[in-house]
Amino acid sequence: MANGGPEIEQLIQLLARLPGLGPRSARRAVLHLIKKKEQLMLPLSAALDRAVVAVKTCETCGNIDTTSPCSICRDPRRGESGMLIVVEDVADLWALERAGVGSVRYHVLGGVLSPLDGVGPDDLNLNPLISRASDYSELVLAMNATVEGQTTAHYITDRLAGSGVKITRLAHGVPVGGELDYLDEGTLSQALKARTNI
């Protein structure tokens, strides 16, 4: 049931498309924004207008920033490790940065290979990665542990075969603080295969 006119209903529908927000959460958010129009809605609207104009995709790595190349690619200290971390999405890059992984560089693919969804190699940021890979001593494939993520990792490994670049992947297994009883069989099996010396 629509309440409050088409503008409010459109705002609810648009917010409901955001990850983590359904129709009920979007409706609550819109009501809160309307109640705090001066403190929240107007500044949010202005910030969105500025972001539409200012935000760019980095021509080098695929990150988003207000400049291209992005601040990570422009940082001269970032290349010292010789490591290039390949991620599926900008959110993965941001998660690694929050974790403080060090002075590394990144490459954002913009998704994963998924034939069922019609996503092939030409739909991803793969060719620039193949061109950049030889500039680094190690390529870390930080794909999600999904079928599509692992398929994408294998595809990249095949494309770079014979390039001389060391290709590694993130370890999979028992998370810090995890209890064995609560882990699925695939995670436990992978953890046992990837065991290390103490």
Side-chain angles (χ1 to χ4, degrees):
M1 181 172 80
N3 290 318
E7 293 84 1
I8 295 173
E9 194 57 36
Q10 181 185 25
L11 187 55
I12 292 168
Q13 290 173 4
L14 289 171
L15 285 179
R17 293 181 188 174
L18 295 174
L21 287 182
R24 285 183 171 178
S25 298
R27 190 169 304 280
R28 282 193 294 273
V30 167
L31 287 173
H32 187 72
L33 286 169
I34 291 170
K35 287 178 186 174
K36 304 280 186 174
K37 194 177 202 176
E38 299 295 322
Q39 298 92 350
L40 287 175
M41 188 178 249
L42 291 175
L44 176 62
S45 174
L48 287 170
D49 285 340
R50 288 190 304 274
V52 165
V53 175
V55 174
K56 299 169 176 47
T57 300
C58 178
E59 61 202 25
T60 305
C61 73
N63 187 19
I64 56 173
D65 202 333
T66 54
T67 60
S68 181
C70 69
S71 57
I72 292 174
C73 289
R74 287 192 328 270
D75 185 347
R77 296 168 295 164
R78 288 290 183 143
E80 293 172 357
S81 71
M83 184 184 296
L84 180 67
I85 300 180
V86 181
V87 295
E88 293 178 19
D89 195 71
V90 173
D92 301 326
L93 184 157
W94 289 1
L96 288 166
E97 281 294 289
R98 281 193 312 273
V101 295
S103 62
V104 300
R105 294 200 188 265
Y106 299 94
H107 188 88
V108 180
L109 293 175
V112 288
L113 295 173
S114 180
L116 292 176
D117 296 323
V119 180
D122 294 337
D123 299 311
L124 301 178
N125 192 16
L126 283 169
N127 289 331
L129 169 62
I130 304 306
S131 300
R132 292 180 74 196
S134 61
D135 297 337
Y136 298 90
S137 57
E138 182 178 1
L139 194 74
V140 180
L141 301 178
M143 309 291 131
N144 289 320
T146 62
V147 171
E148 294 84 2
Q150 297 311 301
T151 300
T152 305
H154 287 300
Y155 179 83
I156 293 168
T157 303
D158 289 346
R159 286 282 307 268
L160 291 171
S163 68
V165 176
K166 177 182 177 183
I167 300 174
T168 59
R169 69 175 186 167
L170 293 180
H172 297 150
V174 180
V176 173
E179 296 182 29
L180 296 183
D181 189 37
Y182 293 105
L183 299 176
D184 64 276
E185 293 80 13
T187 300
L188 284 172
S189 174
Q190 190 64 39
L192 189 59
K193 289 177 188 171
R195 64 191 182 277
T196 59
N197 293 328
I198 296 179

